[in-house]
Amino acid sequence: MTINEIEKEIVEEFEIFGDDWEGKYEHLIDLGKSLPLIKEEFKTEDRIIKGCQSRVWLNSELKEGNVVYTADADAIITKGMVALMVRVLSNHKAEEIVKADLKFVDTIGLKEHLSPTRANGLVSMINMMKTDALKFIS
Amino acid sequence: MKVQNKIREQFPILNQKINGYDLVYFDNGATSQKPLSVIESISDYYKTSNSNIHRGVHTLSRKATELFENARKTIAKHFNVINDQQVIFTAGTTDSINLVVQGLAKNYLQAGDEILLATYEHHSNILPWQLWAEANGGKLKVIPLLEDQTIDYASIPALISSKTKLIAITQVSNTLGLITDLEKIKTIAQKNNIPILVDGAQSAPHMPIDLQKLNVDFFVCSAHKMYGPTGIGLLYLSEKWLKDLAISKPGGGTIKTVSFEKTEYAEGALRFEPGTPNISGAIGFAAAIDFINSVGIQTIFAHEHELVQYAQKKMSEMPEVIIYGKSDHKAGVISFNIKGQHPFDVGTLLDKYGIAVRTGHHCTQPLMNCLNVQGTVRISFAIYNTKEEIDIFIEKLVKVIKMLS
Ligand SMILES: Cc1ncc(COP(=O)(O)O)c(C=O)c1O
């Protein structure tokens, strides 16, 4: 699936909740709980995205021409968001990752998690995902 | 309740929905909301009196100067300072502390000197001292906390040496709400002739403060935490330090005469107020003080104290809740965590229910290390908060706990 197709799939998955924000967040929390996202050995200081209330770890690798991300967060809602980002961006060509606009976050009504406060590490994580992808291009 | 409604009417911002829920604003420790009288004092000033102050001969300039200097008098009176020149306008608590540190660094602090702080200081009362210490071979010494997170006063004498040049201490912990016993600190300080700086950022909004009686060397606070505007605060200097504190931020307005060879600086508050000051801010600050006095600072303290006790009792009945600095002797703040849950998650979900709380380290990372937590959730009250809001908060907190577990 392309990045766009995965985004569409997530949008559909969240559509069933409609205005029910509690349902939406419960789903997000479940997403956060269901995935062991990163190997413990990768949860090192240099992979931590600093300066945020909830700590986020990110590891990027190149596998058979695709960028593969694993990540984790210590807050469960952030972890749910991280799980979504990894699901959308991981296993794609670096060129596509860099171009991704991640509009689905707005569509599913979770845009507040991308506000430029430092409360969660998500904005920094997306920047880091793209920066890492760029490194694999050059 | 009627009185409460009357007060709430003066804060139009409170009357709004967040995500479909009535806003419950419990982040007053970060900044309080502003009553109409404060908002209007600022817009009135710009509508009718705006002009630069102190040097103009024209009518508007005189009017603006009078408003600004009257603001100083209002603030001096509120804190029972007889000489209003001891009231200096700054940008806020952080700015005031920096002004003191930089001034002291010029002619008072020496290499090897020590500053004594408490574990629960806000970063704003740590970093300026730390920066000085790092650059000048100074040292910070820290008063530890007891098991219940109150200050270990008994440990202080052993921390004091001939090198101790100042005690800089917060009167109310912004994270825990605990009130420092300044009398105990003063007794030790005076015995050793050590000046004291009191960070009143979290005490001035909640309790009566008489600076004559308190009789410390420096007292600082921010208007925005006490119903006033952002960008303005107080630096109080004792008579001695009004004369002795070195100028570290010179500029227009601080002088008597200037030549390229030698400048003679003004005496009094103006010495420390370079450039065009925050005139509307000072006027708004005074309006905020008038608001506080219209309610009565004792009434505010009693009301918030009741809210803390009420909330703390309810929260203590919840087995999942851990309260930090649990004491009845508190000013308007409760810090807590939900067992096994990240404060960020708790705060995010409470926000979805329209409840504004603060989460994280609250600019007190050393305290977080001492508590051995990443962060906490903090609720903090103001005069307009109600028991009904606490009931809503508790009801939603129960839901949040269920959602997360
Ligand atoms: C105890 C304490 N000190 C200092 C400050 C800094 O105040 P300001 O940001 O207004 O300069 C705060 C504000 O959070 C505080 O709570």
Side-chain angles (χ1 to χ4, degrees), chain B residues 29-30 92-95 97 122 124 170 172 174 199 201-202 222 224-225:
Chain B
T93 303
T94 306
D95 190 36
I97 296 172
H122 187 280
S124 287
T170 191
V172 168
N174 66 306
D199 175 351
Q202 296 291 342
S222 300
H224 71 93
K225 293 181 195 289

Side-chain angles (χ1 to χ4, degrees), chain B residues 257-320:
Chain B
T257 59
V258 176
S259 71
F260 281 112
E261 290 73 36
K262 175 93 190 129
T263 291
E264 204 187 330
Y265 284 93
E267 279 154 22
L270 291 187
R271 230 171 131 73
F272 300 102
E273 292 175 355
T276 301
N278 184 352
I279 305 165
S280 66
I283 291 165
F285 191 177
I289 295 288
D290 286 340
F291 166 78
I292 288 175
N293 289 321
S294 73
V295 181
I297 187 76
Q298 282 291 4
T299 308
I300 293 175
F301 183 78
H303 175 71
E304 291 167 352
H305 193 251
E306 200 179 326
L307 292 181
V308 166
Q309 282 192 317
Y310 184 73
Q312 212 161 243
K313 180 159 178 295
K314 294 211 157 193
M315 292 165 78
S316 303
E317 288 160 8
M318 301 168 72
E320 304 89 348

Side-chain angles (χ1 to χ4, degrees), chain B residues 184-200:
Chain B
K184 281 193 184 145
I185 303 279
K186 265 166 56 186
T187 309
I188 304 167
Q190 278 160 4
K191 208 184 286 165
N192 296 279
N193 242 327
I194 302 168
I196 302 178
L197 176 142
V198 173
D199 175 351

Side-chain angles (χ1 to χ4, degrees), chain A residues 21-23 25-26 29 33 52-55 74-78 109-110 112-113 119-120, chain B residues 19 21 341-346 348-349 351-353 358-361 374 399 403-405:
Chain A
W21 73 264
E22 284 165 318
Y25 270 78
E26 271 161 10
I29 290 165
K33 280 181 187 161
C52 314
Q53 274 188 39
S54 74
R55 286 179 299 174
D74 56 359
I76 196 73
I77 293 172
T78 310
L110 294 173
E112 68 238 43
H113 294 282
N120 71 31
Chain B
N19 196 31
Y21 300 86
Q341 304 302 345
H342 197 289
F344 173 82
D345 290 323
V346 179
T348 301
L349 292 177
D351 172 57
K352 299 302 290 183
Y353 284 115
R358 182 136 299 234
T359 64
H361 54 63
Q374 278 284 322
K399 285 197 175 186
M403 274 175 93
L404 286 171
S405 51

